[in-house]
Amino acid sequence: MIGIDVGSTNIKIVDGKSFKKYPIIKLNEILEKYNNEESFATGYFRKRFKNYITEITAAIYGIDKDVEVIIDIGGQDTKIINTKTLEFIMNDKCGAGTGLFLQTIAMYLNVPIEDFGKYYSKNPLNLNNTCAVFSISEIINYLVSGYTIKDIIASVNYTIAKKIANINPYECETLTLIGGVAENKAFVRYFKEITEKEVYVPKNPQFINAIGARKYGIKYSTKNHL
């Protein structure tokens, strides 16, 4: 069984042995190869596949630990899922609190987004604008004032952690972070400090929804003798 997470920017594929990632431009190629009874998809373009489930279901199936809240930080939106009631909220009105915010800043500063996790500060700058576009102007002002790119990136990590922590409406003691942003160690550290909660980051957090789609597909196929 193949699990596929067709996100807004990347396609993640899990087959039980390997983890593969492709840019979204490869979607038609992926459809030709994997759009069959041996695959279950989730994500933005899941309905292009024969078998699919929602990102909410995929996230819950993909987590291997009992937690109260799952926070899925994607490229275009952030979903906060209450695993006990199956309620969820989604931040999809702008890029704030998503991978797009970090990607925009990374492109402006010409720093690989994979390096953002290296930058942490005990005294991050106060970035008032969590909108990526307006934050650029604020960042320019800080650079002109003499702050370093390291200062800026640490502050961006703090800002997105604070943003996501503040939009979580659910009372809980345990949370899981998944999605590409969960690989940013500085962001995770800030998030733990802000929330003062038990925060779990699974292995390969960017592939959790693909893992969940695969697990669901195995269960569905066994139940229906496919």
Side-chain angles (χ1 to χ4, degrees), residues 35-86:
N35 193 13
N36 53 53
E37 296 300 333
E38 294 300 317
S39 301
F40 261 79
T42 189
Y44 264 71
F45 298 94
R46 64 185 181 276
K47 293 184 180 180
R48 298 283 301 276
F49 291 79
K50 292 179 179 179
N51 301 315
Y52 61 86
I53 57 176
T54 68
E55 296 100 318
I56 309 306
T57 301
I60 292 173
Y61 269 81
I63 297 298
D64 58 0
K65 187 173 182 177
D66 184 26
V67 295
E68 297 168 279
V69 168
I70 299 172
I71 300 181
D72 181 3
I73 312 165
Q76 298 286 341
D77 63 38
T78 293
K79 303 174 191 70
I80 302 180
I81 308 162
N82 186 325
T83 64
K84 306 304 178 184
T85 65
L86 301 185

Side-chain angles (χ1 to χ4, degrees), residues 73-134:
I73 312 165
Q76 298 286 341
D77 63 38
T78 293
K79 303 174 191 70
I80 302 180
I81 308 162
N82 186 325
T83 64
K84 306 304 178 184
T85 65
L86 301 185
E87 297 175 293
F88 73 95
I89 67 164
M90 184 164 61
N91 166 41
D92 61 353
K93 301 301 181 184
C94 70
T98 70
L100 177 62
F101 177 70
L102 292 179
Q103 189 65 56
T104 302
I105 304 302
M107 291 176 63
Y108 174 73
L109 296 176
N110 196 28
V111 175
I113 196 168
E114 294 80 11
D115 291 346
F116 270 43
K118 301 175 182 178
Y119 301 113
Y120 171 91
S121 170
K122 291 183 178 180
N123 299 295
L125 303 171
N126 182 29
L127 296 178
N128 294 314
N129 292 314
T130 52
C131 171
V133 176
F134 293 116

